[in-house]
């Protein structure tokens, strides 16, 4: 590592917010060059804030991925998700507000209102530019959005196609405050392996199932032990009723089996061990609107 004087080292919290599905978690994975945050084209994929730490020779950017803010569902689960976002805004050094190219929705406007009092610099990131068919539309869009707020920077990117991600890193790093690093330079996240095991299973389920069910599913890890170089993981998938249970299991267990196989591959990649995964489906009535049940499933801390 290069010698860097303490007064030249920059470090801070960089929170990514935006409405569901704009690509926040995909961006976090790109920024880190590694998949830690689960993604899908369905809202509610990200339920917890998640820290991803990127350390360079003279900087440490502590990125926080957050659940998408929305106002459609008002149950206990969504109150939890909104609280996750609001808490992460209380210690932000740089804010990334993400929107989708050529779209400015009512929820985007509400989020901008929400951050109006925040003192931290705000970078507006316009994602999914790979989807734009008519390139000439982008510049007028950038101009009209730039006029809405005093952004420190406005940057069009494609998280999926890795476009302009290094430029974004440079802008973020230039806005970080002078501070010694807050985490060891080899630490990637603040979550443990059990968390990722559960999340990888939930991702595969969300991607496989229809639109409603993902909201009703939660995953917990009952066992996580390394024996003779093999990780033995036991997972429980929680649903709200018996009909949901049979959908998740699938005919002859085919859904649960393929979910398990795909999740296992992600786990082996992250944990660096062979994984032996067993999964069961259990029913807990009405858990998405039951505070006690949410606590039991690890949502309220
Ligand atoms: N075309 C395109 N799709 C993207 C891009 N970034 C993310 N997506 C997709 O948008 C969906 C939502 O992404 P996700 O990261 O889960 O969004 P989040 O809810 O904001 O965290 C997923 O299907 C992603 O693959 C992008 O740059 N271009
Ligand atoms: Mg997400």
């Amino acid at each position: 590592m290069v010698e860097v004087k303490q007064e030249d080292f920059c470090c801070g919290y960089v929170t990514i917010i935006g409405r569901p599905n704009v690509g926040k978690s995909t961006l976090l994975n790109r920024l880190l060059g590694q998949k830690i945050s689960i993604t899908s084209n369905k809202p509610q994929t990200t339920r917890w804030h998640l820290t991803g730490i990127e350390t360079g020779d003279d900087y440490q950017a502590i990125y926080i991925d957050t659940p998408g803010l929305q106002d459609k569902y008002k149950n206990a689960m969504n109150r939890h998700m909104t609280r996750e976002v609001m808490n992460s805004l209380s210690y932000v050094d740089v804010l990334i507000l993400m929107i989708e190219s050529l779209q400015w929705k009512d929820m985007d406007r509400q989020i901008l209102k929400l951050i109006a009092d925040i003192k931290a610099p705000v970078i507006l990131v316009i994602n999914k530019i790979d989807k734009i068919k008519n390139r000439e539309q982008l510049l007028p869009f950038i101009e009209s959005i730039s006029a809405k707020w005093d952004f420190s920077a406005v940057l069009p990117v494609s998280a999926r196609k890795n476009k302009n991600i290094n430029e974004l890193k440079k802008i973020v790093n230039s806005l970080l405050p002078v501070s010694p690093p807050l985490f060891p330079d080899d630490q990637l996240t603040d979550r443990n392996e059990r968390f990722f095991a559960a999340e990888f299973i939930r991702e595969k389920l969300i991607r496989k199932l229809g639109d409603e069910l993902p909201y009703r599913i939660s995953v917990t890890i009952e066992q996580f032990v390394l024996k003779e170089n093999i990780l033995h993981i036991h997972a429980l998938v929680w649903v709200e009723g018996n009909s949901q249970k049979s959908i998740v299991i699938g005919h002859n267990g085919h859904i649960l089996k393929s979910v398990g196989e795909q999740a296992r591959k992600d786990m082996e990649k992250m944990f660096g061990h062979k994984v032996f995964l067993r999964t069961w489906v259990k029913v807990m009535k009405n858990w998405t609107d039951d505070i006690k049940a949410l606590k039991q499933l690890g949502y309220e801390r």
Side-chain angles (χ1 to χ4, degrees):
M1 201 167 167
V2 188
E3 257 328 290
V4 178
K5 286 201 206 101
Q6 212 174 10
E7 63 264 30
D8 292 334
F9 200 93
C10 293
C11 172
Y13 285 92
V14 186
T15 302
I16 309 168
I17 65 164
R19 65 181 161 78
N21 221 27
V22 290
K24 299 177 292 299
S25 301
T26 309
L27 177 70
L28 178 74
N29 294 339
R30 274 286 176 220
L31 288 163
L32 299 179
Q34 188 177 334
K35 174 184 168 168
I36 68 165
S37 195
I38 65 168
T39 67
S40 90
N41 60 6
K42 301 190 183 83
Q44 261 217 31
T45 306
T46 309
R47 284 180 179 164
W48 289 271
H49 78 274
L50 172 61
T51 303
I53 306 156
E54 205 232 335
T55 308
D57 286 336
D58 56 1
Y59 69 89
Q60 180 171 74
I62 307 159
Y63 290 100
I64 314 277
D65 184 17
T66 63
L69 283 165
Q70 53 80 40
D71 54 7
K72 232 162 79 192
Y73 303 92
K74 299 218 184 306
N75 61 13
M77 180 67 200
N78 273 286
R79 282 193 292 277
H80 152 81
M81 286 171 47
T82 305
R83 206 157 40 234
E84 286 283 291
V85 182
M86 299 317 288
N87 288 346
S88 69
L89 290 180
S90 61
Y91 53 88
V92 59
D93 294 302
V94 178
L95 196 62
I96 293 179
L97 170 61
M98 186 180 251
I99 61 171
E100 207 176 308
S101 50
L102 308 186
Q103 297 195 21
W104 180 254
K105 298 200 169 170
D106 192 47
M107 202 58 217
D108 297 316
R109 197 178 50 76
Q110 285 184 44
I111 295 172
L112 190 58
K113 240 167 84 187
L114 192 82
I115 61 172
D117 292 334
I118 286 175
K119 298 281 180 292
V122 181
I123 305 171
L124 180 75
V125 169
I126 303 171
N127 192 29
K128 307 197 187 182
I129 50 167
D130 58 287
K131 276 172 74 178
I132 302 175
K133 291 207 177 68
N134 183 357
R135 293 255 136 201
E136 284 162 17
Q137 292 176 304
L138 185 58
L139 202 60
F141 178 75
I142 294 176
E143 279 170 0
S144 75
I145 300 292
S146 304
K148 292 187 191 297
W149 179 256
D150 189 15
F151 296 110
S152 297
V154 177
L155 188 69
V157 307
S158 170
R160 186 186 273 178
K161 304 268 181 198
N162 208 1
K163 283 263 158 45
N164 263 353
I165 303 302
N166 276 330
E167 285 68 16
L168 176 59
K169 281 189 189 179
K170 279 184 207 148
I171 296 171
V172 166
N173 294 344
S174 74
L175 294 169
L176 291 173
V178 173
S179 152
L182 298 175
F183 292 91
D185 62 7
D186 60 351
Q187 188 170 339
L188 181 68
T189 175
D190 63 343
R191 298 287 185 168
N192 62 22
E193 293 177 323
R194 281 173 178 258
F195 173 83
F196 293 109
E199 287 290 89
F200 290 159
I201 294 171
R202 203 163 58 79
E203 178 186 70
K204 307 310 170 196
L205 283 165
I206 291 175
R207 289 183 178 182
K208 239 189 169 57
L209 299 169
D211 276 346
E212 249 323 289
L213 218 48
Y215 302 104
R216 310 284 163 207
I217 288 175
S218 203
V219 180
T220 56
I221 301 297
E222 290 295 291
Q223 195 196 82
F224 192 106
V225 280
L226 188 62
K227 262 192 294 199
E228 285 151 16
N229 233 6
I230 295 176
L231 265 175
H232 294 260
I233 301 174
H234 291 181
L236 299 181
V237 176
W238 296 93
V239 293
E240 293 194 316
N242 280 323
S243 62
Q244 296 175 0
K245 181 174 170 173
S246 41
I247 295 172
V248 168
I249 293 172
H251 188 57
N252 288 334
H254 80 283
I255 300 252
L256 201 58
K257 186 161 170 265
S258 89
V259 161
E261 274 165 15
Q262 290 172 19
R264 183 173 53 79
K265 284 189 192 138
D266 276 6
M267 292 178 200
E268 289 181 342
K269 204 163 160 195
M270 181 183 254
F271 304 150
H273 286 290
K274 211 174 151 23
V275 168
F276 186 72
L277 174 66
R278 293 187 67 189
T279 311
W280 292 268
V281 183
K282 297 222 164 196
V283 175
M284 191 189 291
K285 290 249 180 305
N286 199 28
W287 70 263
T288 51
D289 203 18
D290 178 341
I291 298 199
K292 228 170 84 194
L294 281 169
K295 279 206 172 113
Q296 219 174 321
L297 294 171
Y299 290 95
E300 301 287 322
R301 279 174 295 162

